[in-house]
Amino acid sequence: VQLVIDVTDMPDNVDWDLSLYDGEGNDLAFSGSLFNENEQIIYSALPGRYYIVVEAIEEGLPQVNIS
């Protein structure tokens, strides 16, 4: 299964990073464009549990939202 994760239409002046982890917390993929550009991860996934982390960096201070 191809897993496609997109983060789009972000507010101005915010840098977003996108990470994908497996169920054991291992880092599988990362997207870290500069400034407020769209982020995308495309990953060939096997059945299982995955975690997506979207990090918003505004004025140099990280904020982490996990979904």
Side-chain angles (χ1 to χ4, degrees), residues 2-67:
Q2 186 166 323
L3 178 64
V4 178
I5 306 162
D6 289 307
V7 177
T8 61
D9 301 321
M10 289 86 62
D12 292 336
N13 302 320
V14 179
D15 179 20
W16 296 83
D17 291 336
L18 179 62
S19 299
L20 176 66
Y21 296 90
D22 66 14
E24 296 178 2
N26 298 307
D27 186 11
L28 300 175
F30 176 78
S31 175
S33 300
L34 296 176
F35 306 108
N36 69 334
E37 295 177 9
N38 295 339
E39 302 291 348
Q40 182 180 67
I41 290 176
I42 300 174
Y43 184 79
S44 295
L46 297 174
R49 184 176 301 243
Y50 296 89
Y51 297 95
I52 300 166
V53 176
V54 179
E55 182 178 16
I57 303 171
E58 186 174 9
E59 298 178 14
L61 300 174
Q63 300 173 0
V64 178
N65 299 313
I66 300 175
S67 57

